[in-house]
């Protein structure tokens, strides 16, 4: 079975993830095993390289493989807020272990100074343009597409997206045909810091089509 490992937001636990229908209804519908780890102190260590929680997450995945019939080619990461930034850090350091990243409302800062040693990965990121909790990095030109600069660069994509499409409340910018062979997307909405209703269904549908 495919796996979605989802990291909770700051001040929360994995139990919050397992009780959130915006996540569980989508994973149930698409047949994913949902894995929701607990971070120490209800938070995650992600700001700096060599995160303490990177080997922790790897150990969880190793343990899961001994207990569940896992499709090792379909292990995906997700997270909300601090959990999203943790997922960014994990795939940046060990992305070759994962099929893709579905990030929600959380990024790493100073992306221009980060090099992802793990290399390219398929990514879909969603973020609210009115998010004042973990605002989307926009750069000097106030460009929201700057918020995914690390992955556009890591995936060796062109500067401008190949396509833009409207999906419900989301405006999605897609980079396809990147030199790495990986796809990169950022979907924006005009709301704040949240997991948008219906988003996980859209994201999981997308990765099943890839």
């Amino acid at each position: 079975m495919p796996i979605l490992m989802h990291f909770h937001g700051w001040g929360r636990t994995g139990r919050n993830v397992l009780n959130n229908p915006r996540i569980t209804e989508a994973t149930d519908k698409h047949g994913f095993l949902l894995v929701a780890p607990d971070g120490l102190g209800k938070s995650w260590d992600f700001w700096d390289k060599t995160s303490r929680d990177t080997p922790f997450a790897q150990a969880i995945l190793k343990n899961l493989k001994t207990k569940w019939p896992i499709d090792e080619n379909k292990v995906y990461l997700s997270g909300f807020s601090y959990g999203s930034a943790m997922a960014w850090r994990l795939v940046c350091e060990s992305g070759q272990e994962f099929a893709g990243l579905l990030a929600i409302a959380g990024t790493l800062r100073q992306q221009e100074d980060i090099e992802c040693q793990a290399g390219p990965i398929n990514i879909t990121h969603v973020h609210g343009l009115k998010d004042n909790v973990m605002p989307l990095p926009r750069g000097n030109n106030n460009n929201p597409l700057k918020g995914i600069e690390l992955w556009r660069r890591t995936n060796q994509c062109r500067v401008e997206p190949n396509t833009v499409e409207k999906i419900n409340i989301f405006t999605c910018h897609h980079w396809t045909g990147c030199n790495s062979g990986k796809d990169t997307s950022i979907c924006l909405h005009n709301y704040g810091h949240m997991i948008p209703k219906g988003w996980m269904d859209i994201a999981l549908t997308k990765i099943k089509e890839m």
Side-chain angles (χ1 to χ4, degrees):
M1 63 180 70
I3 286 182
L4 181 71
M5 182 183 289
H6 183 96
F7 297 99
H8 61 75
W10 183 85
R12 301 183 181 184
T13 69
R15 180 59 56 186
N16 295 105
V17 176
L18 299 179
N19 289 334
N20 189 332
R22 294 192 177 189
I23 300 173
T24 58
E25 289 178 3
T27 52
D28 286 350
K29 174 182 176 179
H30 293 281
F32 279 76
L33 174 64
L34 176 61
V35 181
D38 287 340
L40 284 177
K42 298 184 178 181
S43 188
W44 300 106
D45 173 29
F46 58 82
W47 288 123
D48 298 317
K49 192 177 179 181
T50 65
S51 159
R52 171 198 65 210
D53 288 329
T54 293
F56 168 60
Q58 292 168 329
I60 291 173
L61 182 59
K62 183 177 180 180
N63 180 265
L64 285 170
K65 292 176 181 178
T66 69
K67 298 181 178 181
W68 296 86
I70 291 169
D71 186 339
E72 296 189 27
N73 294 316
K74 295 181 180 180
V75 179
Y76 297 88
L77 287 181
S78 183
F80 169 65
S81 190
Y82 263 39
S84 177
M86 177 60 216
W88 271 53
R89 176 62 67 186
L90 179 56
V91 297
C92 196
E93 294 188 16
S94 58
Q96 64 274 12
E97 300 182 31
F98 305 102
L101 169 61
L102 307 176
I104 307 168
T107 65
L108 295 177
R109 59 193 177 195
Q110 296 178 320
Q111 295 179 29
E112 64 276 6
D113 298 328
I114 300 174
E115 294 294 334
C116 290
Q117 62 184 23
I121 187 170
N122 291 314
I123 172 172
T124 299
H125 184 97
V126 65
H127 218 116
L129 293 172
K130 296 179 181 177
D131 190 334
N132 294 320
V133 178
M134 289 193 78
L136 191 67
R138 294 173 180 250
N140 295 332
N141 296 325
N142 197 34
N143 180 4
L145 302 187
K146 191 74 175 177
I148 205 171
E149 172 67 20
L150 174 61
W151 297 114
R152 188 194 63 76
R153 174 164 44 88
T154 300
N155 289 343
Q156 303 168 38
C157 305
R158 54 184 287 178
V159 174
E160 297 298 326
N162 299 87
T163 60
V164 179
E165 67 172 333
K166 187 75 174 179
I167 306 175
N168 298 339
I169 66 170
F170 310 101
T171 300
C172 297
H173 305 256
H174 303 298
W175 288 261
T176 56
C178 300
N179 290 339
S180 66
K182 304 296 184 180
D183 291 340
T184 304
S185 297
I186 183 169
C187 294
L188 305 171
H189 58 83
N190 288 315
Y191 297 93
H193 194 65
M194 65 177 183
I195 300 176
K197 184 177 180 180
W199 169 251
M200 290 302 297
D201 182 36
I202 292 171
L204 294 180
T205 297
K206 174 180 170 60
I207 62 175
K208 289 177 71 174
E209 295 174 348
M210 296 176 65

